[in-house]
Amino acid sequence: MASESYPPLFRSLNNSTQIVDSDEKAEPVHDLEDPIPLVDLQSLKLGKQLGEACEQWGIFRLVNHGVPPTLLSQLQDHAEKFFSLPFESKQSLITSPLSYFWGTPALTPSGAALHRKGSTLENINLVEGFNVPIAQLNQFQADNHIVASFSLVLEEYGKHLARIATTIFEAMLKNLGLDPVESKSNLSHSTGSVRVYRYPRCSNSNSAWGLDVHTDSSVVSILNQDDVGGLEVLKDNDWFTVKPIPNTLIINLGDMMQAISDDKYKSVTHRVKVNKNKERISVCYFVFPGEGSVIRSSKYKPFTYSDFQEQVQQDIKTVGYKVGLEKFKISEAA
C-alpha cells in the first residue's frame, strides 16, 4: 500500500527502529489452536455457554450470528479501499458526525482524537481509523463514492449488530437475575458506533503495539477482524492469541457490563500487536448505556456513562491512561 495513505509519522515504520519500547514484549503469549470460548447465538444452551464465557473470560467467539458472510466481506473490501486513499483525503472526506483519528483509540464525546502530549513514535498507538455513530449516519453527506458506498454498508451492518447486542444483553440479564425492564436503559442502540481500524505493518513488530493494554468502556463490543490477527487477551495473568476464524465475530465485555453485573462478569483486558509483514484491518461495534441511565451496583458508586466518560477523559489528560472502574469503586472500609 502506498506510504502516502498513512499518517506522516507512520511512513518510516519499516525503516526505523524508534518504535515504542514496551515491557510487554518479553511476556510469553499462549498461541493455542483456539482457546476462546465458543457461543452459538441460535443454541438452546445460549444461557449456559454465555454465562461461563462471561464469568471466566469476558470474551467469546460468536457463531450462527445471522450476519451474511457477503456483508462481512464487503466491510473488509470497503475498508481497504478507504484506507488506501491519501492521508490528507481521508482527513477531509470524513466530516461530522463521523470522525477520523490516528495514533490513539481515545476519542472525546464529539469523536475527536484525544492525544497524549507530544505525538512521537515512542508514545502513540500504531493505528488509524474512523468513528461512525450509527444513529447519526443519515446526517452524513459523503462527497466521495468510496465513502458513500462504505456508509451504506456500515448502516446495514449496524442493524445486524444492534440485533446481536440486544440478544446477548438480554441473555446476560437473565443469567444474572436482573430485571429486564429496569435494566433496559443500560444498553441503548442510539449510542451504537462502529470504528474501523487499520494497523500498519512494522518491521520491529516485537516491540510495537497497535493498541496498548486496555479494557473497553462499552457494555459490549463486537469485533469483525480480517485474516491477519494480532488481538491478544489476558486471562489469569496469561496472554492468549485470538485467532481470526472466517464468519465468526468476537464479543468483548466492557467496563459497563462488569459494573452492571456487580463484577460477576469481566471486562476483558486486551491489546493489539502489529504484524511484521501485513497491515491489519478490523471493524468493531461499541454500544453503551442510554443517556442518563444510572448504573447501580453494590461494588460501585451510582454513575452514568457520561460520568464515566468524563472521568476517563480527565485521567488521560492528567495521568496519560484510562484508570476506569477503579475510580468508582466503593471503598471496602466504607
Side-chain angles (χ1 to χ4, degrees):
M1 187 133 333
S3 63
E4 291 77 15
S5 72
Y6 288 111
L9 207 55
F10 291 3
R11 295 175 189 175
S12 62
L13 282 178
N14 293 295
N15 302 313
S16 172
T17 57
Q18 296 181 355
I19 309 297
V20 180
D21 188 15
S22 170
D23 292 337
E24 296 157 18
K25 64 185 177 181
E27 295 175 336
V29 177
H30 295 278
D31 196 27
L32 304 179
E33 187 61 32
D34 186 33
I36 308 305
L38 191 74
V39 172
D40 184 340
L41 195 63
Q42 307 299 327
S43 172
L44 294 175
K45 298 179 181 178
L46 171 63
K48 185 176 185 295
Q49 293 176 342
L50 191 61
E52 292 175 354
C54 293
E55 288 176 17
Q56 297 171 16
W57 284 81
I59 185 173
F60 53 91
R61 188 182 302 280
L62 193 69
V63 297
N64 287 328
H65 44 66
V67 183
T70 50
L71 181 57
L72 296 176
S73 297
Q74 285 178 328
L75 275 173
Q76 293 292 335
D77 291 343
H78 280 77
E80 288 178 13
K81 289 176 183 176
F82 170 77
F83 284 122
S84 69
L85 294 171
F87 170 66
E88 292 75 12
S89 297
K90 286 179 286 194
Q91 285 187 305
S92 61
L93 289 171
I94 299 300
T95 57
S96 182
L98 280 61
S99 57
Y100 173 78
F101 59 90
W102 64 273
T104 176
L107 306 181
T108 66
S110 65
L114 190 64
H115 286 281
R116 300 168 187 166
K117 291 182 180 178
S119 293
T120 68
L121 281 178
E122 285 78 16
N123 68 1
I124 64 170
N125 292 145
L126 301 183
V127 63
E128 68 166 324
F130 66 101
N131 182 60
V132 183
I134 296 297
Q136 302 175 46
L137 194 52
N138 58 1
Q139 302 171 23
F140 177 63
Q141 300 295 321
D143 296 326
N144 176 282
H145 73 279
I146 292 177
V147 178
S149 179
F150 200 179
S151 298
L152 293 174
V153 173
L154 286 169
E155 187 173 19
E156 179 65 23
Y157 186 61
K159 295 175 184 175
H160 283 282
L161 275 290
R163 167 184 55 80
I164 292 170
T166 299
T167 303
I168 290 171
F169 184 62
E170 290 176 350
M172 289 192 291
L173 293 179
K174 185 176 181 180
N175 279 353
L176 293 164
L178 297 175
D179 187 320
V181 176
E182 289 183 7
S183 304
K184 186 177 181 181
S185 65
N186 283 338
L187 183 141
S188 173
H189 296 321
S190 65
T191 68
S193 65
V194 172
R195 292 187 190 174
V196 186
Y197 300 100
R198 177 172 74 156
Y199 303 91
R201 68 183 182 90
C202 178
S203 57
N204 196 12
S205 61
N206 286 334
S207 59
W209 296 93
L211 292 181
D212 292 329
V213 175
H214 69 287
T215 58
D216 291 345
S217 297
S218 57
V219 179
V220 295
S221 309
I222 306 177
L223 176 71
N224 170 29
Q225 55 179 342
D226 65 9
D227 60 355
V228 175
L231 176 62
E232 298 174 355
V233 300
L234 186 67
K235 182 182 185 294
D236 300 330
N237 297 316
D238 287 326
W239 287 99
F240 293 85
T241 298
V242 182
K243 295 192 173 183
I245 296 179
N247 299 325
T248 67
L249 298 172
I250 298 297
I251 314 295
N252 290 359
L253 302 195
D255 300 333
M256 298 302 98
M257 194 62 227
Q258 178 170 324
I260 291 166
S261 74
D262 230 13
D263 284 359
K264 293 182 179 70
Y265 290 172
K266 296 179 179 180
S267 177
V268 64
T269 299
H270 54 290
R271 64 191 183 189
V272 176
K273 190 174 185 179
V274 294
N275 188 280
K276 186 175 183 178
N277 301 309
K278 295 181 179 180
E279 64 179 27
R280 174 181 186 260
I281 289 176
S282 65
V283 182
C284 196
Y285 173 86
F286 301 89
V287 65
F288 304 89
E291 186 175 354
S293 178
V294 179
I295 295 175
R296 303 184 189 279
S297 163
S298 66
K299 308 283 188 183
Y300 304 96
K301 304 166 189 174
F303 67 93
T304 65
Y305 177 66
S306 293
D307 297 333
F308 186 85
Q309 194 176 32
E310 186 177 327
Q311 183 63 56
V312 169
Q313 305 281 312
Q314 183 180 332
D315 290 341
I316 291 174
K317 290 176 181 176
T318 54
V319 299
Y321 58 90
K322 180 182 99 173
V323 177
L325 286 173
E326 285 299 314
K327 285 291 182 81
F328 296 88
K329 200 94 174 177
I330 295 174
S331 170
E332 293 182 3

